[in-house]
Amino acid sequence: MARPHKPLLSTARIVAAARQLIDAEGLDALSTRRLAAELGVSGPSLYNHFATKDEIVEAVADSVSARVDLSMFEDGRDWRTALHDWATSYRAALRDHPNIVPVLARGPGRRPAGLRVADAVYGAMVRAGWPAAQATSVGALMRYFVMGSALGSFAGGFVRDRGAYDPADYPHLGQAHLLAERQETVDERAFETGLTALLDGLEGQFARISVNGPGPQGP
């Protein structure tokens, strides 16, 4: 009798399984033993593809970065529109995989997809006329904002119990118990409000640079 067919172990399959485990249970749930069990293989077989668990985590993080759309930096959109659309795509990728955000927040390191993101943003800003130093700052600022928005829900942090917000103590939180059930709407609106404010500020800076020059240069 033919033996049951098992999918061949591959780097992509390991990363997909690890990402699913991290999404479901968090970073602490991932171990090579647990991952091997999920894949139906022996633990040592993973080491044919990854030397350590940390390498697997890095690969999972990079697989999330690879989901961020970068086409807006190459299709003729102006820099403000491109930054808006990229930030929206970036946040969507992180929102779908929130448990890997702490790893991504450390920066791209040597991860190829993460470095492609950084290269695309910086290159687009320089082509648009931002001086090198300011282009670096723009990329960093946007990453701070998007990462922060993905680390947790503002609205989801409020309990649904109206009694938790005694008006004697919190006179302005009479509707706070409603925030959690409106989490997606509140958080999306907050993100767009913040993103618009950032881009308005950057437009002002860009206009001043165009008139007064870039000032001191650097990376």
Side-chain angles (χ1 to χ4, degrees):
M1 180 180 293
R3 300 174 67 179
H5 174 72
K6 288 186 178 180
L8 292 175
L9 193 61
S10 66
T11 297
R13 187 170 167 235
I14 293 169
V15 170
R19 185 174 58 238
Q20 185 175 17
L21 181 58
I22 291 170
D23 285 346
E25 300 183 35
L27 283 164
D28 289 343
L30 181 67
S31 67
T32 53
R33 178 179 296 181
R34 174 75 184 279
L35 184 57
E38 294 286 335
L39 289 163
V41 299
S42 63
S45 63
L46 298 178
Y47 296 115
N48 293 323
H49 301 270
F50 295 98
T52 65
K53 186 187 85 168
D54 286 345
E55 285 190 5
I56 298 173
V57 172
E58 289 290 304
V60 170
D62 213 38
S63 75
V64 174
S65 293
R67 298 181 176 208
V68 180
D69 183 15
L70 299 175
S71 64
M72 65 285 296
F73 296 120
E74 301 293 342
D75 63 9
R77 275 173 260 191
D78 64 273
W79 68 262
R80 175 181 174 134
T81 302
L83 277 182
H84 176 280
D85 295 347
W86 167 71
T88 301
S89 173
Y90 192 12
R91 178 171 179 260
L94 300 186
R95 185 183 55 209
D96 290 342
H97 307 281
N99 291 332
I100 201 67
V101 171
V103 179
L104 289 165
R106 298 199 293 259
R110 296 178 181 271
R111 297 191 295 268
L115 289 170
R116 281 193 291 274
V117 171
D119 182 73
V121 176
Y122 177 79
M125 295 306 100
V126 170
R127 288 196 303 274
W130 284 92
Q134 282 87 347
T136 300
S137 296
V138 169
L141 169 66
M142 297 302 294
R143 193 171 77 85
Y144 297 154
F145 175 68
V146 176
M147 287 283 180
S149 74
L151 284 172
S153 164
F154 170 80
F158 291 84
V159 299
R160 298 171 187 263
D161 178 10
R162 187 169 193 163
Y165 308 103
D166 188 330
D169 296 321
Y170 315 109
H172 305 296
L173 296 182
Q175 301 295 307
H177 65 288
L178 301 175
L179 287 172
E181 66 186 53
R182 301 173 186 173
Q183 176 177 330
E184 184 173 354
T185 298
V186 172
D187 289 348
E188 288 292 335
R189 188 172 61 224
F191 179 77
E192 281 296 329
T193 298
L195 183 55
T196 299
L198 280 179
L199 295 174
D200 285 348
L202 289 174
E203 272 203 319
Q205 288 190 31
F206 189 70
R208 288 192 293 275
I209 288 169
S210 299
V211 172
N212 302 322
Q217 289 300 289

